[in-house]
Amino acid sequence: MLSIDNDRCIQCGACVEECFKHALTMEGEKVVHNPDQCIWCGHCLALCPRDCIIIDGDGYNCEEVEEIGFTVAATKAQIRNMILLRRSIRYFTDDPVTDEEMNFIIEAGKYAPTGRNRQGNSFVAVRDEKVAELTADSIAAFKRLLSADVISDDYAELVRNACNSFDEGVDELYFQAPLVIFVFADTDVDGAICATNMGFMAQSQQLGYCFARIPLIAWEDTEFAAKWKAPEGKRAALALMIGNPEHEFFCSVPRKDPGLTVFE
């Protein structure tokens, strides 16, 4: 899965030094790979000045590797502006999210960092007219779970409120967003990092989004999980409602002091 062209290698040693798992060693004039130590993070490939390293097979595709540079990275002022202007959007226009916009968002999730490079994130995307069906099925799942008394007290009242609002004709679950993406992951931390990546990519395309966890409860219902194709062996980590914002925002808002302790 990882191969090294030692004929092209100039023995600079950068890949060996960078590998914190010590999966690469310099033996004479050759770089040798120990797959038992490797977590396939790709650092060695990314920093090789001679393109001597290939990671391929087992789901990896070296053809998608792109040359990049920090000169094209967003500036700190641009990133800060995105952070300050980010809002949880719950009112969307009727405009759809395009295929291109959605694909960029999914790609952002694909490239999100994961613990030990597990890359265990998966996605279920629901779009346009299907969102209404998703909403109805989620509420039906909620009601089954409430009847079975298996929802924790922390969430039961919120779930009841969502059901009551739906019965009154109001969607307080997905807010009629044109695109809903569920992030599934091996761990909640991996899922949260992934969703953050995806949110910023949505924002970079002038789309609004909102994170939510209440909809995840529906995946605990076996009927719902089977119909909407829950990824096997993964936990539902976050839902993102995405669309074109109904309103425009012009400034940041006050925040509480988070507290800071610095040891120097």
Side-chain angles (χ1 to χ4, degrees):
M1 191 162 62
L2 186 151
S3 58
I4 303 167
D5 186 347
N6 275 291
D7 291 334
R8 287 175 53 82
C9 179
I10 58 174
Q11 292 88 46
C12 68
C15 59
V16 175
E17 293 176 6
E18 179 69 20
C19 184
F20 82 102
K21 294 295 293 183
H22 308 295
L24 296 176
T25 55
M26 188 72 75
E27 297 184 8
E29 295 184 352
K30 289 187 175 182
V31 177
V32 177
H33 176 239
N34 179 359
D36 293 334
Q37 293 290 107
C38 187
I39 62 170
W40 315 103
C41 67
H43 279 13
C44 55
L45 182 155
L47 59 75
C48 180
R50 294 293 300 273
D51 299 325
C52 300
I53 298 175
I54 294 175
I55 298 176
D56 215 346
D58 194 26
Y60 290 91
N61 179 11
C62 241
E63 292 184 0
E64 70 181 15
V65 173
E66 302 177 28
E67 288 191 13
I68 58 172
F70 284 107
T71 56
V72 298
T75 67
K76 61 179 179 290
Q78 290 169 327
I79 295 295
R80 183 175 183 272
N81 190 61
M82 287 183 64
I83 292 171
L84 293 182
L85 287 179
R86 196 212 72 83
R87 310 303 308 150
S88 294
I89 304 301
R90 297 180 178 86
Y91 295 94
F92 303 96
T93 69
D94 294 331
D95 298 317
V97 176
T98 67
D99 289 347
E100 181 181 39
E101 289 168 338
M102 185 183 76
N103 290 339
F104 269 113
I105 293 168
I106 296 297
E107 183 185 54
K110 172 183 175 180
Y111 280 94
T114 55
R116 293 189 59 79
N117 195 37
R118 283 184 289 259
Q119 300 186 49
N121 300 330
S122 297
F123 312 101
V124 173
V126 185
R127 304 176 68 182
D128 306 322
E129 289 82 6
K130 273 288 184 181
V131 174
E133 183 179 346
L134 171 72
T135 306
D137 285 354
S138 297
I139 295 299
F142 283 176
K143 291 179 178 179
R144 287 191 293 269
L145 293 168
L146 286 169
S147 297
D149 195 26
V150 294
I151 300 178
S152 69
D153 292 340
D154 292 339
Y155 288 103
E157 189 62 28
L158 294 170
V159 169
R160 289 192 191 95
N161 290 340
C163 292
N164 292 336
S165 295
F166 179 81
D167 292 341
E168 294 171 1
V170 179
D171 175 12
E172 291 188 352
L173 198 57
Y174 303 109
F175 303 98
Q176 298 178 303
L179 173 63
V180 178
I181 300 179
F182 293 95
V183 178
F184 289 80
D186 292 329
T187 70
D188 286 339
V189 171
D190 285 351
I193 295 171
C194 176
T196 300
N197 255 30
M198 296 168 76
F200 278 128
M201 181 58 74
Q203 190 178 352
S204 75
Q205 301 178 92
Q206 287 74 55
L207 297 171
Y209 66 98
C210 182
F211 296 126
R213 286 187 59 84
I214 297 300
L216 306 183
I217 295 172
W219 293 95
E220 299 175 14
D221 178 75
T222 54
E223 182 178 335
F224 178 92
K227 176 177 177 177
W228 294 97
K229 310 298 183 185
E232 186 175 352
K234 307 294 180 183
R235 67 177 70 181
L238 271 175
L240 290 89
M241 284 73 80
I242 303 170
N244 290 276
E246 179 72 37
H247 305 111
E248 187 175 359
F249 297 88
F250 300 101
C251 66
S252 64
V253 298
R255 302 288 287 189
K256 295 179 180 179
D257 184 351
L260 173 65
T261 301
V262 179
F263 296 93
E264 295 181 334

